[in-house]
């Protein structure tokens, strides 16, 4: 199963870092947040990634090129232009890096990588959030639901869209903007999707979190996998510091590998 990661945004709320590198490359514990996210999925046997690049996407490409080289024993044949890898210490990852445009919205980025996804169920997440979501259980839940889309519903105070969920019913009834008085479930950014959901995306200017998810919800095709454990996005420098502190203290809950 492929994992699509949205990694092309500007990261304006963490501009102190994102002016010099894309937000997915902002580090926690000396490793990019993107690496942490991939390690989570890899722990569940998902090692085939499609990364939607945009803002400073060349840096993401160079990171993985250099990462693989740094963890390998190699011989360079400078005269003939060859290279031989003797020992490879990297994860068993297959990474497809796709330039989806700097100004493309999240939905448009997903639509642009459609040729790389095939006709199978796939996972989708953002390049700035981690959690203790059991990906294997979420995939099983999705398959048993028969829905086109499953979203991890998490609890977190802040500025996120509220999912309208009825007690005892996993179908998402709709979305609305979150207010300070709310304490309900929010979109946690970990999705399991059928390829048909891409038909709900109009084009580059489409935000995945708006029309596509709302249409899926209204049609009864979106269900929520309730997650009550740890979840944290990295939207601001304060969020990054929270994650950094957890990592340094040896109590990073998302470290399931």
């Amino acid at each position: 199963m492929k994992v699509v990661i949205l990694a092309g945004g500007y990261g304006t709320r963490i501009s102190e870092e994102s002016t010099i590198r894309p937000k997915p490359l902002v580090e926690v514990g000396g490793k990019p947040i993107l690496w942490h996210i991939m390690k989570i999925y890899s722990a569940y046997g998902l090692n085939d990634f499609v990364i939607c690049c945009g803002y400073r996407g060349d840096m993401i490409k160079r990171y993985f090129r250099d990462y693989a080289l740094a963890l390998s024993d190699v011989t360079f044949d400078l005269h003939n232009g060859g290279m031989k890898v003797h020992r490879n210490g990297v994860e068993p990852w297959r990474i497809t890096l796709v330039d989806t445009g700097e100004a493309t919205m999240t939905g448009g980025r997903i639509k642009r990588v459609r040729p790389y996804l095939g006709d199978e169920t796939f996972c989708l997440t953002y390049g700035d959030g981690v959690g203790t979501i059991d990906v294997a259980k979420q995939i099983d839940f999705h398959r048993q639901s028969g829905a086109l889309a499953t979203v991890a519903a998490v609890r977190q105070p802040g500025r996120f869209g509220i999912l309208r969920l009825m007690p005892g019913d996993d179908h998402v009834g709709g979305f609305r903007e979150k207010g300070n008085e709310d304490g309900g479930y929010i979109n946690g950014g970990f999705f399991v999707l059928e390829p048909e959901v891409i038909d709900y995306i109009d084009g580059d200017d489409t935000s995945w979190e708006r029309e596509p998810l709302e249409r899926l919800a209204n049609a009864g095709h979106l269900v929520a996998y309730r997650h009550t454990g740890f979840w944290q996005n990295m939207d601001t420098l304060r969020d990054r510091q929270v994650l950094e502190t957890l990592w340094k203290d040896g109590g990073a809950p998302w470290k399931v590998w």
Side-chain angles (χ1 to χ4, degrees):
M1 183 179 293
K2 294 181 185 295
V3 180
V4 176
I5 304 179
L6 296 168
Y10 289 100
T12 54
R13 293 194 185 99
I14 195 169
S15 59
E16 296 90 342
E17 287 274 3
S18 60
T19 54
I20 58 175
R21 54 186 154 185
K23 185 161 74 163
L25 291 186
V26 174
E27 293 184 350
V28 173
K31 296 287 187 181
I33 189 70
L34 179 59
W35 177 88
H36 290 265
I37 295 165
M38 295 169 71
K39 291 288 283 188
I40 292 171
Y41 279 101
S42 187
Y44 293 97
L46 278 67
N47 294 302
D48 196 345
F49 298 94
V50 177
I51 300 179
C52 302
C53 300
Y55 172 68
R56 299 196 175 222
D58 58 313
M59 294 185 68
I60 298 177
K61 293 175 182 178
R62 288 199 301 271
Y63 170 77
F64 284 110
R65 179 200 65 189
D66 296 343
Y67 178 70
L69 187 61
L71 295 179
S72 302
D73 294 339
V74 297
T75 296
F76 292 104
D77 186 335
L78 299 184
H79 180 72
N80 295 310
M83 182 182 80
K84 181 178 180 181
V85 177
H86 302 285
R87 181 191 62 83
N88 191 324
V90 298
E91 293 84 356
W93 293 345
R94 183 176 186 269
I95 307 170
T96 302
L97 297 135
V98 183
D99 181 5
T100 57
E102 280 205 14
T104 308
M105 302 296 286
T106 49
R109 296 190 191 281
I110 299 168
K111 196 174 186 73
R112 285 203 184 194
V113 301
R114 177 69 180 88
Y116 302 95
L117 300 181
D119 297 319
E120 305 297 326
T121 306
F122 66 96
C123 291
L124 168 74
T125 194
Y126 301 93
D128 64 354
V130 293
T132 56
I133 295 165
D134 189 317
V135 175
K137 287 184 178 179
Q138 186 186 15
I139 293 171
D140 288 343
F141 176 88
H142 170 80
R143 287 174 169 157
Q144 292 171 16
S145 74
L148 293 181
T150 297
V151 57
V154 302
R155 292 186 182 274
Q156 170 86 355
R159 48 190 181 277
F160 301 92
I162 285 289
L163 304 178
R164 189 163 66 246
L165 293 175
M166 298 300 293
D169 187 356
D170 294 320
H171 284 83
V172 177
F175 281 79
R176 65 180 175 83
E177 287 304 302
K178 183 175 175 60
N180 292 332
E181 73 280 1
D182 291 313
Y185 284 98
I186 64 171
N187 169 6
F190 284 73
F191 296 87
V192 184
L193 305 170
E194 298 303 319
E196 292 89 335
V197 302
I198 300 177
D199 296 334
Y200 288 78
I201 301 170
D202 294 329
D204 282 356
D205 295 330
T206 304
S207 174
W208 167 245
E209 302 77 20
R210 298 289 186 176
E211 291 87 356
L213 283 183
E214 290 169 356
R215 292 171 186 166
L216 287 163
N218 292 336
H221 295 317
L222 176 64
V223 296
Y225 175 78
R226 289 174 169 86
H227 172 68
T228 57
F230 175 85
W231 177 87
Q232 178 67 54
N233 72 319
M234 192 183 68
D235 208 31
T236 66
L237 281 178
R238 178 185 178 279
D239 296 332
R240 178 189 175 276
Q241 189 56 50
V242 168
L243 295 172
E244 184 72 26
T245 299
L246 288 170
W247 185 267
K248 287 183 176 179
D249 290 346
W254 70 92
K255 189 178 183 297
V256 294
W257 59 89

